[in-house]
Amino acid sequence: RNRNEMNAKEFFYLVAQMREAQKSYFETKDRHVFMAARALENDVDREIRRVRAIVNAQEEPGTT
């Protein structure tokens, strides 16, 4: 497994961490918390793009 790839459990914990950071930001409006939440959002978005590319490739005709 490539070290940049996540399994489902790792993705779950990443999303949970992102949501906690988002909630913390909305409670505090702290700039540093905002930056941390944005970094986590970027990580989540990157993983979604990675998995979406895999799913799309598997759904192409002739790949099954």
Side-chain angles (χ1 to χ4, degrees):
R1 188 177 92 164
N2 184 323
R3 64 182 242 185
N4 292 329
E5 295 176 1
M6 290 183 191
N7 63 35
K9 187 175 182 179
E10 291 167 333
F11 184 69
F12 169 81
Y13 285 118
L14 175 63
V15 172
Q17 187 179 9
M18 176 191 73
R19 292 295 295 136
E20 287 301 315
Q22 290 170 332
K23 290 176 188 177
S24 180
Y25 169 71
F26 286 112
E27 290 173 2
T28 66
K29 301 296 185 188
D30 181 274
R31 183 175 185 274
H32 293 99
V33 175
F34 173 76
M35 292 170 55
R38 285 299 308 253
L40 290 164
E41 288 172 8
N42 288 336
D43 291 344
V44 168
D45 290 343
R46 186 179 311 108
E47 183 65 5
I48 289 170
R49 283 191 304 273
R50 184 188 73 79
V51 173
R52 182 176 286 141
I54 293 168
V55 169
N56 288 342
Q58 291 174 346
E59 290 177 349
E60 289 179 8
T63 59
T64 55

